Amino acid sequence: MAGLADTHFEYSPEARAQADLKFTYVVTCQIYGVQKGEGKPEAADIALLMQRNEALRIAYIDVVESVKNGKPSTEYYSKLVKADIHGKDKEIYSVKLPGNPKLGEGKPENQNHAVIFTRGNAVQTIDMNQDNYFEEALKMRNLLEEFSQNHGKFRPSILGVREHVFTGSVSSLASFMSNQETSFVTLGQRVLSNPLKVRMHYGHPDVFDRIFHITRGGISKASRIINISEDIFAGFNSTLRQG
């Protein structure tokens, strides 16, 4: 069955093009440019993934060192690339940044610099240690319909989705962390939501109303000192702004 599906997949460029119009992956890896410049195997792995997946886009921070007026100068660019027909990186967008984008923790800045490269009305954020199932993907159509429903005074701006950490089998510590995520996210957060009505959103792999959040401070905080939890920022931010 898998072989038959793969064969049909290769012979349906129109279907693949239609899917690309509806859905894209944006994977944000801040240090991809550095890794590529140093010839590290991690960069080669990312390039291979782009070659095998036409819809995959990589967002990274490009640091350009130069000399201006006899003084060293450093410029930062937020870039989005994909693989061309020859398997080389093809730059899609390059946005010059006013300075070093890493104002706070690494993870929220990764999301902040890449969210401008997303498209559509909804965006789902997911960590690299999480996985999904085909059956879960079938639910996405109905899940997105929740954005059109009024469950109170306002329409929802964040939809909670169950988290599945597939790296739990790596080690005993990873297993503990996986169970902790299941307890805190899948069980604890749902109780906070219903019946307690005090859930402030966890962060991933929840689905965001993209237009709502990018016009109201983003989905991650950009501060280093105020607090260290980037995951609940969007919930507080959304609630304070009537989401």
Side-chain angles (χ1 to χ4, degrees), residues 8-227:
H8 286 185
F9 183 73
E10 293 296 332
Y11 286 108
S12 57
E14 293 84 1
R16 296 180 66 179
Q18 186 68 21
D20 289 344
L21 289 174
K22 303 285 186 180
F23 182 84
T24 58
Y25 284 105
V26 176
V27 176
T28 172
C29 178
Q30 284 176 316
I31 59 176
Y32 173 61
V34 176
Q35 292 176 336
K36 185 169 62 173
E38 296 176 354
K40 290 191 173 181
E42 292 90 343
D45 293 340
I46 294 176
L48 180 61
L49 287 174
M50 284 194 289
Q51 295 169 26
R52 291 184 175 180
N53 301 275
E54 297 175 0
L56 179 61
R57 306 288 184 264
I58 301 296
Y60 69 97
I61 302 295
D62 190 26
V63 182
V64 179
E65 304 282 353
S66 61
V67 177
K68 291 185 177 180
N69 300 324
K71 296 181 180 180
S73 175
T74 304
E75 295 180 338
Y76 298 88
Y77 295 85
S78 184
K79 293 193 174 183
L80 186 72
V81 297
K82 67 176 182 178
D84 62 15
I85 58 175
H86 303 293
K88 303 296 184 181
D89 289 357
K90 180 180 180 181
E91 187 177 293
I92 305 174
Y93 296 110
S94 179
V95 180
K96 186 176 181 180
L97 304 174
N100 190 344
K102 192 171 181 180
L103 302 175
E105 306 298 323
K107 177 184 171 182
E109 301 312 339
N110 236 351
Q111 293 183 345
N112 284 334
H113 99 91
V115 71
I116 61 173
F117 299 131
T118 59
R119 295 292 180 268
N121 295 328
V123 59
Q124 182 181 29
T125 59
I126 187 166
D127 282 354
M128 64 182 297
N129 68 335
Q130 294 173 21
D131 202 356
N132 208 339
Y133 300 104
F134 177 70
E135 293 82 0
E136 293 294 320
L138 295 177
K139 302 175 184 177
M140 188 59 70
R141 181 66 179 84
N142 289 339
L143 176 67
L144 294 177
E145 284 296 316
E146 290 293 317
F147 280 128
S148 302
Q149 305 298 318
N150 285 331
H151 295 282
K153 189 175 182 180
F154 304 103
R155 293 183 179 181
S157 55
I158 301 174
L159 302 178
V161 183
R162 177 184 180 274
E163 180 178 20
H164 171 62
V165 179
F166 70 90
T167 54
S169 60
V170 173
S171 66
S172 58
L173 177 59
S175 177
F176 174 80
M177 294 300 296
S178 178
N179 292 332
Q180 177 263 331
E181 294 286 355
T182 300
S183 173
F184 178 65
V185 183
T186 303
L187 302 178
Q189 292 288 309
R190 297 315 179 247
V191 175
L192 293 177
S193 176
N194 188 12
L196 299 182
K197 303 296 184 183
V198 294
R199 180 174 184 258
M200 286 297 179
H201 154 77
Y202 178 59
H204 50 79
D206 292 356
V207 182
F208 296 85
D209 182 331
R210 177 178 170 274
I211 304 301
F212 178 94
H213 284 90
I214 64 173
T215 56
R216 292 169 175 82
I219 60 177
S220 296
K221 73 175 185 66
S223 61
R224 184 186 298 272
I225 301 174
I226 298 177
N227 54 59

